[in-house]
Amino acid sequence: MVSPICANLEAVRTAVEQFCVRSKRKPEEITLIGVSKTFPADAIREAVQCGLTDVGESRVQEVLPKLEELRDLPVRWHFIGHLQRNKVRHVVGRFWLIHSVDSLRLAEELQKECEKKWVEQDILIEVNCSGEESKFGIMPEKTEELVRQVANLNRIHVKGLMTIGKLTENEQEIRQGFRLLRQLFEHIRGLDIAGVEMRYLSMGMSDDFHLAIEEGSNMIRIGRKIFGDRR
Ligand SMILES: *Cc1c(COP(=O)(O)O)cnc(C)c1O
């Protein structure tokens, strides 16, 4: 019998392919991150056995024991949650990509920790494109300035932008946020800032990845549609 996680993963892959066809894009240019927060290490192992290559987690305390238990797994770990400065030492060097850098102070803390550990860290800048007060992320109009400042930190490498879609049933409003991030991405790419690479556009979750793909996302973060509902 095919495990539910494998079947879910397959269904998400098929959906991604369909949305790509519809928007004349190539499925292989879209990185699928399985978001495993609240699920145990065994569930992650299972997903990886079914071909998942990228795993996303959002809470530091929760992910540390999982990282320990899954040290042998050949996956790229993504830190996608809000990162507090006092937790930076736990994540630096352990994650392939940190998606949630939204202030210079946080970037400076990351830089300091990288110097201490003698490592470098790839990051995305998280942008609040929905205008919701409850959301983390730098304001769109401040993004270019933050990217320029982070570019001066020699151990932190900006690889793109991330956003969380607006929490609404209104597809137009969700789409507007994604479109804004895409425009910022293209704008900053065009500036050709030394040390900055606009490569990853991380947007789209279980309920809105179809819209994100149509709006140009190349990195989607899928939790519930792969692992099931969270308790
Ligand atoms: C939880 C989470 C996801 C995945 O959400 P689903 O709706 O379960 O797909 C994606 N991105 C971030 C930042 C998250 O915290």
Side-chain angles (χ1 to χ4, degrees):
M1 202 189 79
V2 180
S3 80
I5 289 178
C6 288
N8 289 346
L9 194 53
E10 204 42 50
V12 169
R13 286 224 182 84
T14 303
V16 169
E17 279 167 26
Q18 285 168 348
F19 296 129
C20 280
V21 168
R22 228 191 265 175
S23 46
K24 301 196 167 51
R25 303 193 51 204
K26 298 194 190 83
E28 59 271 23
E29 65 192 36
I30 296 177
T31 300
L32 170 62
I33 302 173
V35 178
S36 50
K37 61 188 184 209
T38 77
F39 289 93
D42 285 348
I44 301 173
R45 202 174 274 288
E46 196 177 319
V48 172
Q49 273 159 5
C50 301
L52 187 69
T53 56
D54 291 77
V55 178
E57 287 272 347
S58 57
R59 299 182 194 117
V60 174
Q61 305 93 308
E62 182 190 337
V63 72
L64 294 180
K66 291 190 204 173
L67 285 175
E68 192 59 32
E69 197 175 333
L70 298 171
R71 267 204 302 214
D72 59 307
L73 272 197
V75 289
R76 302 191 296 194
W77 290 94
H78 297 253
F79 191 83
I80 61 174
H82 176 61
L83 182 55
Q84 290 169 295
R85 278 179 298 139
N86 61 6
K87 300 267 166 62
V88 155
R89 67 198 155 92
H90 297 299
V91 304
V92 163
R94 288 199 166 104
F95 288 85
W96 183 70
L97 188 62
I98 297 173
H99 291 227
S100 46
V101 176
D102 62 358
S103 72
L104 182 59
R105 286 172 83 200
L106 175 58
E108 284 171 343
E109 195 68 31
L110 286 163
Q111 165 78 14
K112 255 203 301 192
E113 189 62 26
C114 283
E115 286 169 3
K116 219 187 264 175
K117 292 198 168 109
W118 211 255
V119 295
E120 310 203 350
Q121 180 72 60
D122 288 346
I123 61 136
L124 304 181
I125 300 293
E126 179 175 356
V127 186
N128 180 344
C129 289
S130 65
E132 291 163 292
E133 298 242 334
S134 58
K135 289 236 164 85
F136 293 107
I138 183 99
M139 287 299 127
E141 60 276 15
K142 301 251 181 201
T143 304
E144 180 184 330
E145 186 189 8
L146 179 59
V147 170
R148 288 186 185 281
Q149 289 167 327
V150 176
N152 292 325
L153 304 173
N154 65 346
R155 288 177 181 267
I156 308 293
H157 307 299
V158 179
K159 296 289 172 188
L161 305 178
M162 179 272 233
T163 198
I164 298 177
K166 188 165 183 177
L167 190 63
T168 168
E169 301 274 292
N170 184 330
E171 289 203 347
Q172 268 322 316
E173 288 182 22
I174 301 171
R175 219 180 254 286
Q176 267 167 23
F178 290 159
R179 201 164 288 174
L180 179 57
L181 194 70
R182 166 79 184 273
Q183 286 165 354
L184 265 175
F185 183 80
E186 303 289 350
H187 169 71
I188 294 171
R189 179 188 266 164
L191 298 173
D192 241 335
I193 302 167
V196 171
E197 201 183 349
M198 281 293 123
R199 179 156 173 201
Y200 298 112
L201 187 53
S202 170
M203 56 189 196
M205 310 185 359
S206 289
D207 290 332
D208 57 19
F209 72 96
H210 58 297
L211 301 173
I213 289 174
E214 285 179 10
E215 297 300 333
S217 168
N218 62 19
M219 192 169 252
I220 57 175
R221 312 177 306 266
I222 310 295
R224 288 165 297 133
K225 284 243 160 91
I226 294 175
F227 291 99
D229 283 330
R230 289 182 288 272
R231 271 159 301 223

